[in-house]
Amino acid sequence: QVQLVESGGGLVEAGGSLRLSCAASGSIKSISRLGWWRQAPGKPWNQREFVAGVTTAGDAAYAISVKGRFTVSRDNAKNTVELQMNSLKPEDTAVYYCKAEYVRLTTWGPELDYWGQGTQVTVSS
């Protein structure tokens, strides 16, 4: 079983910064991509928005809405991922979820995705 635990959410004024962290634990063989998604207030779970992700090789991808403001980083040895969020805007308010994609528990086993429980980020205007 794989568990993702997020931390670092909170309340911040517009223009401020927050740093989110996520640690994946369990009998993990490999994780292809670690990243962050968010669910805005009032939106259902199937409308979660991709925010940023980084592969094992270090290739990072960002949503257009956060590019230049957010930075995603990963420690492969520790199976952790962080999201540095700068110049926050009220529209960044959401529950942020850590997601581990294409996770292998064994060399030849299936690749599965896992979600964290979410952490609230609120940006006041």
Side-chain angles (χ1 to χ4, degrees):
Q1 191 58 274
V2 175
Q3 190 174 20
L4 301 178
V5 178
E6 301 116 329
S7 60
L11 173 64
V12 66
E13 291 185 351
S17 298
L18 281 175
R19 189 174 186 89
L20 305 183
S21 298
C22 172
S25 62
S27 300
I28 299 169
K29 184 71 176 178
S30 63
I31 303 176
S32 181
R33 186 166 79 169
L34 277 169
W36 296 91
W37 294 63
R38 65 188 182 188
Q39 185 172 344
K43 291 286 184 71
W45 69 269
N46 57 356
Q47 291 186 25
R48 286 180 188 177
E49 173 191 23
F50 171 76
V51 177
V54 57
T55 67
T56 308
D59 295 323
Y62 298 91
I64 293 174
S65 59
V66 308
K67 204 166 188 178
R69 299 188 296 123
F70 292 9
T71 302
V72 64
S73 59
R74 173 176 176 171
D75 185 326
N76 290 329
K78 297 180 180 179
N79 284 330
T80 58
V81 62
E82 294 189 332
L83 185 67
Q84 177 66 42
M85 304 185 293
N86 298 329
S87 303
L88 282 161
K89 305 175 181 180
E91 51 264 43
D92 293 319
T93 295
V95 177
Y96 282 70
Y97 294 89
C98 178
K99 184 180 182 183
E101 298 178 74
Y102 302 104
V103 179
R104 284 191 184 274
L105 303 183
T106 60
T107 302
W108 304 111
E111 293 178 316
L112 303 174
D113 295 346
Y114 295 88
W115 292 92
Q117 81 286 354
T119 184
Q120 178 70 47
V121 171
T122 303
V123 184
S124 63
S125 57

